[in-house]
Amino acid sequence: LAGRLEGRAVLYGPEGTEIAAAGREPGADVQRALAELARFVTGHTSSTATDTAAGTRLTAYALGTGRGFVLGVAAPHRGSGDHAVASIAAVLLSLLTGEHQSGTGAARSSALVRLLLGARREEVAPLLGGAEDEDGVTRWHVVHARRDTGTSDAVSASALGAALGSPLVDAAEDVVR
């Protein structure tokens, strides 16, 4: 998201703390203004707020249903489609942050974020859980499916994920992983 918008994307936690961030770090004034905008959407009924600071466009998106997570975006400009891209990112993050109600959901989301930020799989594997076999070894099942007809879509990928009991599903052009 930060790369696409040529700016900065920040995930704020319920306490207003920065959980994760990516992209070019703006000046202190912009960072402060973005954090304030994030606090604003947390404490109000509005789920989105915009502002400008030091010539940088700021947007804050409340994630989920009142759990206090916020996506903050700071970009020097907004091209056509940028708002749609940021809105979709907010929806996807809402799905991830919504799992923080349970310990396993929080661990799985943390593992996913860490992998996206470049952590080695050995570091995050304990967070993913898994099923122990008779030897006490934790195993995971990875599914790589191909449709008999047509191409994979979000609905079929979601259905597969629901059937497998996992939100970690990726739909590509001709396969679902």
Side-chain angles (χ1 to χ4, degrees):
L1 177 63
R4 168 66 171 87
L5 300 179
E6 298 176 1
R8 181 124 175 120
V10 180
L11 175 62
Y12 295 98
E15 305 82 30
T17 57
E18 189 175 298
I19 295 175
R24 324 185 255 123
E25 194 166 325
D29 292 344
V30 172
Q31 288 181 41
R32 236 183 333 274
L34 186 59
E36 287 174 20
L37 197 60
R39 280 190 293 278
F40 175 81
V41 297
T42 301
H44 291 79
T45 57
S46 175
S47 61
T48 306
T50 61
D51 198 0
T52 304
T56 302
R57 297 194 45 139
L58 309 175
T59 309
Y61 302 87
L63 304 177
T65 54
R67 291 188 183 86
F69 290 93
V70 176
L71 170 64
V73 178
H77 52 67
R78 282 284 173 102
S80 67
D82 287 349
H83 178 70
V85 169
S87 294
I88 290 169
V91 169
L92 293 173
L93 281 170
S94 290
L95 294 173
L96 286 174
T97 58
E99 292 183 343
H100 279 80
Q101 298 176 68
S102 69
T104 57
R108 191 170 44 239
S109 295
S110 176
L112 181 58
V113 169
R114 289 179 189 191
L115 284 170
L116 291 172
L117 293 175
R120 293 179 306 131
R121 63 180 181 247
E122 295 83 13
E123 295 172 25
V124 299
L127 298 172
L128 294 174
E132 282 191 17
D133 64 12
E134 61 276 355
D135 298 323
V137 177
T138 302
R139 307 239 185 242
W140 295 270
H141 298 279
V142 177
V143 176
H144 189 184
R146 183 179 310 272
R147 289 181 62 118
D148 288 338
T149 60
T151 59
S152 300
D153 58 28
V155 174
S156 61
S158 294
L160 177 63
L164 296 173
S166 174
L168 303 177
V169 178
D170 173 41
E173 285 184 26
D174 60 343
V175 297
V176 177
R177 297 181 291 261

